[in-house]
């Protein structure tokens, strides 16, 4: 187990946010929770994060727009999760260069595998 | 203090009330409305002590001295119940007018149920906010009290009384309190803020012309129907009127009863489309109202003789006579001779000249056994001077023409000649059919769209807590495998999993109240009719894809009890699936067989295609829920079809054909005694 990394979690649903924090914690890493993409962008210090997990449908900046902005600021991978999956959203997500696109509810083991690959 | 706008205060989830030094309330945010029940317009300008009660001596002293006091306070709400709040009182010293600001949140409530409600409120708001249709939560308890009062005062037929007294319905709207609305409501009823939406009395949203629709929904509530669906017009905050489909559900187990959930779907576009279509046919009608009327004179001396003979035999009514001698109609048609026609009649019958028609009988022009003709003959027999009806006739080339047919008999009883005036109304009949078809499609589409929106909402809302449950479970599993598992943390995670499961249950309960159509209005229907209507509904798709439909109806008219539109939806869905299954089949051989069979208990409607058969993935999950709707709006998925079939006491089976390639979907419904099914 290497030194703990910091993962940013962006979701307007509190239950999902906290559950992701638990999941990341159980892998021995730390999570920082944000209720919206705008809150994350306002907080700054994007280089502190080794990975971003974000919902797509949120008030204000949505997850795909966030992914585009993050690509300009950091090389850390972005994983998008959404309850409103459509082919269109998925295509936009991949065009925005997201690392992985998951549909809620997803198999947490898939996310664990991704995070272990990213965070070591 | 004063540069903070009311809208900003509304963002707070805690109740915030500001008051002047003299105790007058100056602002009241949304959360105060949720907590205490009063609308801002009801309390701003009143004394805070009169509305909520006084602060303790200690509180005002401490806040006066240090600028801040915090503690527990008992408060009375608008409905008289008592609650305990955690209160922070602050004095904001402005040079000209000192103001008090209090921030409070619910600590404990009278009912344990209310405590649970407060806990679930945040979750519920989340759910409420995300739904695609506009939803309003209304407090109907005052309406209930008024209705009870009316019943006690001796009014026995409340529905009739309400229909007679629209003023009473307006009053019921005014006493209905709007508890909450979701985000979609602002888009639909805006432009405006949520505060304006909640603070506007309900009767504003219901224009006068929609009063009767509101009354009907109240009557539904009185007569204990769990659900009410209707189309009506609503008014938005800016005064514009728009068409909606609205559903009312009565939520079981809500605190104090009397809470309603009302959903609105905007159907203006669709209603507009229907109206334009109506206008087109109205314009057509205007053109047709100044037609050239086809006039023809006919003579029938043999028939006059026959009539006299029958009268002498004591026949007074031809109806039973024709029942016994159905060939009599064709006998009359064959002996009616055209003696003169005008130019319009020549055109109407598709003749080249009047000569071609003179002395011709009506055989071929009037259909054999024509029912309208029969009524005309029966009228002639009892010397009714005029008979008028719509009648389908045939031109000389055999093509049909719909006419408005008017027979005027010669007033002299010894004369057999009649004058017939006819107007070609084929266009109008077509227009009328068109409007009718449109109307059905609109009803169909609006139901499906509401269903689709609800489906999307359910998917979204349920997927959040389920995602959380899965994540927590995976985290717990990893922690439990550690050499020294952190027991407390594990206990916390397990308790959260439990809470999320409760949330899923809540969501399902709430949406079930809206979406579940537990009550199917049971009307006797002919399945054969529904099958042919569904065929008409899908005519375009069938033609485009070049699919041949073969109907095999078996003997007898099979009747079931059910809801016409819902059963149409199921059959349309099964047929759409069949049409799509034929995509890879060569055009000339595309074929769907519709079958209607019955045994002593059930009627079976089967839809069979000659496509490639069932895929292995379908076989593993045939009723996979919530597939995205197809653009044509009929892709409701077999799941919904199955639940409609089950609501009718029936079932749906999908299997590979026994007689070769392709799939057979069968809808089975309980048989009611075979008889003539009523229409609507």
């Amino acid at each position: 187990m290497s030194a703990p990394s910091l993962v940013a979690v962006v979701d307007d649903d509190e239950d999902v946010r906290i559950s992701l924090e638990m999941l990341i914690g159980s892998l021995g890493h730390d999570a920082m929770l944000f209720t919206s993409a705008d809150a994350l962008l306002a907080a700054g210090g994007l280089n502190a994060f080794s990975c971003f997990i974000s919902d797509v449908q949120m008030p204000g900046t949505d997850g795909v727009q966030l992914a585009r902005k993050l690509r300009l600021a950091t090389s850390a991978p972005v994983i998008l999760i959404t309850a409103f999956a459509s082919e269109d959203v998925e295509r936009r997500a991949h065009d925005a260069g997201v690392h992985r696109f998951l549909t809620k509810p997803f198999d947490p083991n898939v996310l664990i595998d991704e995070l272990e690959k990213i965070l070591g | 203090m004063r540069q903070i706008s009311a809208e900003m205060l509304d963002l707070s989830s805690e109740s915030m009330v500001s008051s002047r030094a003299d105790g007058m309330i100056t602002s009241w945010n949304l959360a105060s409305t949720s907590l205490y029940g009063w609308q801002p317009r009801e309390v701003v300008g009143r004394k805070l002590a009169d509305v909520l009660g006084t602060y303790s001596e200690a509180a005002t002293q401490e806040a006066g001295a240090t600028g801040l006091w915090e503690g527990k306070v008992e408060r009375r709400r608008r409905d008289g119940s008592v609650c305990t709040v955690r209160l922070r009182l602050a004095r904001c010293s402005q040079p000209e007018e000192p103001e008090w600001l209090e921030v409070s949140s619910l600590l404990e409530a009278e009912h344990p149920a209310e405590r649970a409600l407060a806990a679930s409120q945040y979750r519920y708001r989340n759910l409420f906010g995300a739904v695609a249709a506009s939803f309003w939560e209304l407090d109907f308890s005052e309406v209930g009290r008024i209705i009870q009062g009316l019943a006690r005062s001796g009014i026995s037929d409340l529905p009739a009384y309400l229909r007679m007294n629209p003023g009473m319905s307006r009053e019921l709207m005014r006493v209905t309190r709007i508890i909450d609305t979701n985000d979609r409501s602002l888009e639909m009823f805006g432009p405006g803020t949520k505060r304006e939406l909640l603070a506007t009395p309900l009767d504003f949203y219901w224009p006068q012309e929609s009063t009767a629709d509101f009354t009907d929904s109240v009557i539904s509530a009185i007569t204990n129907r769990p659900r009410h669906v209707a189309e009506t017009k609503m008014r938005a905050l800016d005064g514009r009127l728009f068409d909606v489909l609205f559903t009312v559900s009565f939520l079981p187990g809500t605190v104090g009863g009397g809470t309603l959930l009302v959903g609105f779907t905007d159907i203006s576009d669709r209603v507009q489309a229907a109206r334009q279509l109506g206008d087109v046919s109205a314009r057509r009608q205007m053109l047709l109202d100044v037609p050239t009327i086809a006039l023809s004179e006919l003579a029938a001396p043999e028939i006059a003789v026959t009539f006299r003979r029958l009268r002498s035999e004591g026949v007074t009514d031809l109806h039973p006579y024709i029942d016994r001698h159905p060939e009599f109609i064709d006998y009359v048609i064959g002996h009616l001779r055209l003696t003169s026609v005008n130019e319009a009649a020549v055109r109407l019958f598709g003749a080249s000249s009047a000569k071609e028609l003179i002395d011709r009988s009506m055989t071929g022009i009037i259909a054999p056994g024509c029912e309208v003709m029969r009524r005309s003959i029966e009228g002639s027999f009892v010397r009714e001077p005029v008979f008028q009806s719509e009648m389908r006739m045939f031109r000389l080339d055999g093509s049909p023409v719909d006419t408005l047919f008017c027979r005027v008999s010669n007033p002299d009883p010894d004369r057999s000649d009649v004058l017939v005036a006819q107007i070609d109304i084929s266009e109008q009949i077509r227009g009328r059919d068109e409007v009718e078809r449109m109307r059905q499609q609109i009803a169909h589409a609006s139901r499906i769209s509401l269903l689709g929106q609800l489906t999307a909402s359910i998917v979204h809302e349920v997927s959040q807590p389920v995602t959380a449950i899965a994540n927590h479970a995976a985290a717990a599993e990893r922690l439990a495998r550690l050499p020294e598992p952190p027991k407390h943390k594990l206990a916390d995670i397990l308790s959260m999993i439990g809470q999320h499961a409760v949330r899923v249950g809540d969501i399902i309960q709430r949406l079930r109240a809206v979406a579940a159509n537990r009550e199917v209005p049971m009307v006797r229907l002919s399945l054969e009719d529904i099958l042919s209507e569904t065929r008409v509904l899908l005519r375009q798709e069938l033609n485009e894809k070049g699919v041949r439909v073969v109907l095999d109806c078996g003997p007898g008219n099979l009747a079931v009890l059910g809801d016409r539109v819902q059963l149409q939806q199921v059959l349309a869905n099964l047929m759409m699936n069949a049409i799509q299954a034929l995509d890879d089949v060569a055009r000339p051989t595309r074929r769907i067989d519709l079958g209607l069979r019955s045994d002593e208990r059930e009627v079976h409607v089967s839809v069979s295609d000659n496509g490639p058969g069932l895929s292995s993935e379908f076989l593993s999950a045939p009723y996979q829920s919530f597939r995205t709707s197809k653009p044509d709006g009929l892709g409701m998925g077999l799941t919904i079809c199955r639940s409609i079939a089950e609501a009718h006491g029936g079932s749906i089976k999908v299997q590979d054909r026994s007689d070769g390639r392709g799939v057979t979907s069968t809808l089975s419904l309980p048989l009611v005694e075979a008889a003539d099914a009523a229409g609507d």
Side-chain angles (χ1 to χ4, degrees):
Chain A
M1 179 67 71
S2 52
S5 307
L6 185 59
V7 179
V9 173
V10 185
D11 197 310
D12 59 345
D13 188 279
E14 187 187 29
D15 295 347
V16 175
R17 270 199 314 275
I18 292 171
S19 72
L20 286 168
E21 179 181 37
M22 284 286 175
L23 190 69
I24 293 159
S26 76
L27 299 174
H29 298 287
D30 295 323
M32 200 158 171
L33 309 185
F34 299 91
T35 56
S36 69
D38 296 317
L40 167 66
L41 295 168
L46 295 176
N47 289 321
F49 301 108
S50 312
C51 171
F52 298 88
I53 303 176
S54 170
D55 188 15
V56 175
Q57 288 258 349
M58 289 176 291
T61 306
D62 75 25
V64 177
Q65 294 163 329
L66 174 70
R68 280 200 211 105
K69 290 182 177 167
L70 290 175
R71 198 161 49 158
L72 303 176
T74 158
S75 59
V78 177
I79 298 175
L80 288 186
I81 52 176
T82 181
F84 283 118
S86 70
E87 283 169 17
D88 176 53
V89 175
E90 189 157 1
R91 198 171 30 76
R92 284 177 44 228
H94 286 299
D95 292 348
V98 306
H99 178 78
R100 194 70 204 250
F101 183 86
L102 299 172
T103 303
K104 290 178 189 174
F106 50 84
D107 177 354
N109 292 309
V110 173
L111 185 63
I112 289 172
D113 291 347
E114 286 296 344
L115 288 172
E116 283 181 332
K117 266 186 263 173
I118 295 167
L119 307 173
Chain B
M1 202 43 238
R2 257 158 312 160
Q3 56 272 44
I4 297 183
S5 68
E7 280 75 20
M8 285 165 80
L9 293 177
D10 285 347
L11 295 173
S12 164
S13 60
E14 291 188 301
S15 156
M16 297 172 94
V17 181
S18 63
S19 53
R20 291 201 312 243
D22 61 4
M24 285 290 186
I25 295 175
T26 54
S27 82
W28 180 271
N29 73 346
L30 271 182
S32 308
T33 299
S34 311
L35 178 56
Y36 298 117
W38 299 97
Q39 293 286 357
R41 66 190 146 82
E42 295 174 306
V43 293
V44 170
R46 286 178 60 188
K47 279 220 187 312
L48 185 135
D50 297 341
V51 177
L52 295 170
T54 51
Y55 302 122
S56 66
E57 194 62 41
T60 36
Q61 271 185 2
E62 188 173 331
T66 66
L68 197 68
W69 175 84
E70 189 167 353
K72 280 195 211 175
V73 178
E74 280 217 336
R75 282 278 169 82
R76 185 163 292 284
R77 293 176 167 145
R78 190 175 187 274
D79 62 4
S81 64
V82 176
C83 60
T84 309
V85 299
R86 167 171 303 286
L87 183 97
R88 275 167 297 159
L89 179 63
R91 196 174 55 116
C92 330
S93 44
Q94 294 279 348
E96 61 273 20
E97 51 177 287
E99 268 192 329
W100 293 99
L101 175 69
E102 66 151 68
V103 180
S104 56
S105 55
L106 189 67
L107 204 59
E108 49 192 276
E110 226 171 14
H111 318 266
E114 194 152 5
R115 223 169 303 157
L117 189 76
S120 71
Q121 208 147 45
Y122 154 78
R123 311 208 168 295
Y124 171 49
R125 282 207 195 305
N126 252 3
L127 151 75
F128 210 52
V131 176
S134 159
F135 276 103
W136 298 56
E137 197 178 0
L138 303 177
D139 178 356
F140 230 48
S141 44
E142 194 58 38
V143 172
R145 276 193 279 279
I146 292 179
I147 296 281
Q148 279 161 6
L150 290 173
R152 272 198 302 272
S153 71
I155 295 166
S156 57
D157 190 350
L158 272 171
Y161 171 84
L162 288 175
R163 287 197 180 102
M164 294 290 298
N165 295 284
M168 175 50 76
S169 292
R170 305 301 304 181
E171 175 57 23
L172 294 180
M173 291 175 196
R174 280 188 288 275
V175 301
T176 302
R177 201 163 60 84
I178 304 169
I179 302 171
D180 199 1
T181 63
N182 67 346
D183 301 346
R184 183 73 186 82
S185 305
L186 258 187
E187 292 170 38
M188 201 181 288
F189 289 88
T193 62
K194 183 156 179 179
R195 158 180 287 262
E196 288 166 342
L197 204 63
L198 292 185
T200 305
L202 190 73
D203 61 333
F204 172 85
Y205 300 108
W206 287 87
Q208 284 294 348
E209 64 190 278
S210 300
T211 308
D213 295 325
F214 178 87
T215 309
D216 286 345
S217 71
V218 174
I219 290 167
S220 266
I222 302 172
T223 49
N224 287 328
R225 282 180 229 142
R227 188 158 178 274
H228 179 85
V229 182
E231 281 184 25
T232 191
K233 260 198 195 326
M234 301 292 291
R235 181 187 288 127
L237 286 172
D238 61 1
R240 89 198 128 79
L241 297 182
F242 59 104
D243 295 287
V244 299
L245 181 81
F246 80 105
T247 59
V248 184
S249 323
F250 304 95
L251 295 176
T254 44
V255 179
T259 306
L260 294 183
L261 199 57
V262 182
F264 295 102
T265 311
D266 191 335
I267 53 170
S268 308
D269 301 350
R270 280 163 273 174
V271 171
Q272 191 59 35
R275 206 172 286 137
Q276 272 166 354
L277 200 75
D279 287 349
V280 170
S281 59
R283 274 201 295 279
R284 272 206 204 112
Q285 208 157 349
M286 271 164 47
L287 291 173
L288 287 165
D289 276 344
V290 246
T292 39
I293 299 177
L295 294 169
S296 21
E297 285 181 294
L298 300 108
E302 299 91 338
I303 295 169
V305 173
T306 309
F307 274 13
R308 277 201 291 277
R309 183 172 57 77
L310 288 170
R311 286 195 190 101
S312 69
E313 289 170 7
V315 176
T316 53
D317 180 358
L318 266 188
H319 192 81
Y321 176 83
I322 295 179
D323 277 350
R324 288 192 307 276
H325 305 280
E327 70 285 352
F328 189 76
I329 302 172
D330 294 350
Y331 161 78
V332 175
I333 294 172
H335 288 82
L336 273 172
R337 281 185 197 288
L338 287 158
T339 53
S340 71
V341 290
N342 71 350
E343 197 46 42
V346 172
R347 276 200 306 275
L348 180 79
F349 293 126
S352 54
S353 68
K355 263 221 300 281
E356 204 180 348
L357 292 169
I358 301 299
D359 263 332
R360 194 188 180 294
S361 85
M362 297 304 276
T363 305
I365 294 178
I366 298 175
C370 174
E371 203 44 45
V372 178
M373 192 61 203
R374 174 183 176 162
R375 297 206 320 266
S376 174
I377 299 166
E378 289 168 3
S380 298
F381 188 73
V382 293
R383 298 201 176 89
E384 272 177 7
V386 179
F387 172 84
Q388 186 174 310
S389 170
E390 283 177 21
M391 189 191 230
R392 167 161 285 198
M393 307 185 86
F394 294 88
R395 297 193 184 90
L396 295 185
D397 67 0
S399 59
V401 53
D402 289 302
T403 69
L404 184 65
F405 169 92
C406 177
R407 166 186 58 74
V408 185
S409 299
N410 192 312
D412 180 349
D414 292 331
R415 298 285 301 275
S416 69
D417 50 321
V418 294
L419 176 70
V420 170
Q422 284 172 291
I423 300 171
D424 182 344
I425 53 169
S426 308
E427 283 291 307
Q428 279 150 303
I429 296 267
R430 253 199 301 280
R432 201 190 302 157
D433 290 352
E434 201 61 30
V435 171
E436 183 51 29
R437 211 175 16 255
M438 223 16 217
R439 204 187 54 73
Q440 284 185 358
Q441 277 174 343
I442 285 164
H444 185 89
S446 55
R447 287 200 186 207
I448 288 180
S449 104
L450 188 65
L451 215 54
Q453 296 192 351
L454 283 168
T455 306
S457 311
I458 297 169
V459 172
H460 173 255
E461 280 311 310
V462 173
S463 61
Q464 303 284 32
V466 169
T467 302
I469 288 171
N471 289 341
H472 278 312
E477 190 182 339
R478 299 182 69 85
L479 293 174
R481 290 188 200 284
L482 292 174
E484 290 179 25
K487 281 191 184 167
H488 282 296
K489 200 161 197 165
L490 278 173
D492 286 347
I493 293 181
L494 290 174
S495 122
M496 279 195 263
I497 290 178
Q499 286 169 27
H500 297 330
V502 170
R503 174 181 176 187
V504 177
D506 283 352
I507 290 167
I508 291 170
Q509 284 297 1
R510 282 195 180 272
L511 284 171
R512 184 179 286 151
V514 181
N517 209 344
R518 278 183 298 273
E519 256 204 330
V520 179
M522 289 297 185
V523 179
R524 178 194 285 269
L525 301 164
S526 147
L527 262 181
E528 207 171 324
D529 289 354
I530 294 181
L531 206 51
S532 34
E533 283 161 12
T534 310
R535 234 176 113 169
V536 170
L537 204 66
L538 296 183
R539 201 169 43 187
Q540 201 187 334
E541 282 86 352
L542 291 164
N543 290 346
E544 273 172 17
K545 298 270 172 86
V547 178
R548 194 157 67 95
V549 178
V550 181
L551 182 63
D552 173 11
C553 267
N557 193 355
L558 299 172
V560 293
L561 286 178
D563 177 287
R564 175 179 296 271
V565 175
Q566 287 192 13
L567 292 176
Q568 269 180 12
Q569 283 186 5
V570 172
L571 290 173
N573 200 57
L574 297 181
M575 279 169 76
M576 278 307 287
N577 289 346
I579 292 170
Q580 279 156 356
L582 296 171
D583 277 351
D584 301 333
V585 174
R587 255 184 107 89
T589 57
R590 288 177 186 174
R591 171 175 165 158
I592 291 178
D593 286 281
L594 301 177
L596 201 51
R597 297 264 169 286
S598 71
D599 48 37
E600 52 278 14
R601 287 185 314 104
E602 285 190 307
V603 186
H604 307 283
V605 192
S606 60
V607 180
S608 307
D609 61 67
N610 59 349
L614 293 172
S615 65
S616 52
E617 71 193 85
F618 178 89
L619 288 168
S620 64
Y623 299 108
Q624 184 197 344
S625 300
F626 308 134
R627 286 189 202 151
T628 34
S629 327
K630 305 180 185 90
D632 51 38
L634 287 170
M636 292 188 308
L638 279 171
T639 317
I640 293 174
C641 287
R642 191 177 50 173
S643 61
I644 291 176
E646 284 168 0
H648 282 75
S651 61
I652 286 192
K653 244 202 338 254
V654 181
Q655 58 207 127
D656 276 314
R657 272 174 94 148
S658 48
D659 60 348
R661 283 184 38 175
V663 176
T664 297
S665 311
T666 311
L667 165 66
S668 304
L669 297 168
L671 176 70
V672 293
E673 73 212 65
D676 286 347
D680 291 320

